[in-house]
Amino acid sequence: MLDFTSVRTKEITMAELAAGLTKEDLRRLTQEMVDTMLGLLAECEDRDVTFVPDDPAAYDEAAVTEAELYLPWTLGHVIVHTTASAEESAFLAAELARGVAYHGRSRYEVPWPTITTVAQCRQRLKESGRLRLASLDLWPNPPHLDNTYQAKPGGEAINAANRFLRGLAHDDSHLAQIKKIVRQAQRIASSW
């Protein structure tokens, strides 16, 4: 899998990391990420999906309700959040690759309370992988990699490869959280 550490430590930009990546690279990286997340669920049981972990630092600035602002995320919540973010990046990337000017967000997130089983988590991950891979088929040959936008004034230029890669980086940023939730849930379950 791609290591995003150098981007997080600001040694390089996401644009520098994305430079030279092909659609085939993005396909491979997507499949690796989905397989990694599926692997983290390998030993999970349904009770692990709705387990509310101990997370004193929980804070969700995008929470829909005040009650959810400091709510620790369940495994199901993390899975729908990461898949929605990666899909958003993939579909924005497809538009950029086709020469469409950036026009804002393109996001749908499955309501997290509806995800209560490991089978649903696996299905969501597989579906998300399928959608992301399919979005790469929308890229023309050659893609319009000169079609860029800035997320904030003075920020780096974001093209299709960079935008797609940001979804994978977001997935990557949640891997430790998934591991922590699974570890806590299974530790609690083994004490029953």
Side-chain angles (χ1 to χ4, degrees), residues 47 184-192:
R47 67 176 175 252
Q184 280 187 28
Q186 291 179 346
R187 186 175 61 236
I188 296 295
S190 68
S191 68
W192 291 343

Side-chain angles (χ1 to χ4, degrees), residues 82-150:
T82 60
T83 55
S85 295
E87 290 163 21
E88 176 180 23
S89 284
F91 283 92
L92 289 173
E95 289 192 347
L96 290 169
R98 293 175 42 244
V100 176
Y102 177 75
H103 55 80
R105 300 197 70 181
S106 178
R107 183 181 182 86
Y108 171 75
E109 185 169 313
V110 172
W112 66 267
T114 67
I115 304 299
T116 60
T117 68
V118 177
Q120 288 176 302
C121 288
R122 288 186 181 120
Q123 185 277 332
R124 178 81 278 274
L125 285 165
K126 289 176 184 176
E127 178 180 57
S128 181
R130 180 182 58 76
L131 292 171
R132 292 187 252 172
L133 293 173
S135 77
L136 291 167
D137 290 334
L138 299 172
W139 289 31
N141 285 323
H144 296 266
L145 296 178
D146 58 336
N147 183 24
T148 64
Y149 73 97
Q150 293 177 312

Side-chain angles (χ1 to χ4, degrees), residues 8 10 13 17 24 39 48-49 53 59 62 79 85 88 97 100 124 149-150 164 170 177 187-189:
R8 289 191 181 106
K10 302 194 185 306
T13 65
L17 186 61
E24 290 68 34
D48 302 331
V49 175
Y59 177 73
I79 296 300
S85 295
E88 176 180 23
V100 176
R124 178 81 278 274
Y149 73 97
Q150 293 177 312
F164 194 99
H170 183 263
Q177 182 182 20
R187 186 175 61 236
I188 296 295

Side-chain angles (χ1 to χ4, degrees), residues 57-71 73 77 81 105 170 174:
Y59 177 73
D60 181 6
E61 65 185 29
V64 177
T65 67
E66 178 107 11
E68 292 180 359
L69 196 59
Y70 298 100
L71 184 69
W73 286 11
H77 194 157
H81 171 76
R105 300 197 70 181
H170 183 263
H174 283 283

Side-chain angles (χ1 to χ4, degrees), residues 175-190:
L175 292 176
Q177 182 182 20
I178 293 169
K179 290 175 189 174
K180 181 179 175 183
I181 293 167
V182 170
R183 193 170 43 248
Q184 280 187 28
Q186 291 179 346
R187 186 175 61 236
I188 296 295
S190 68

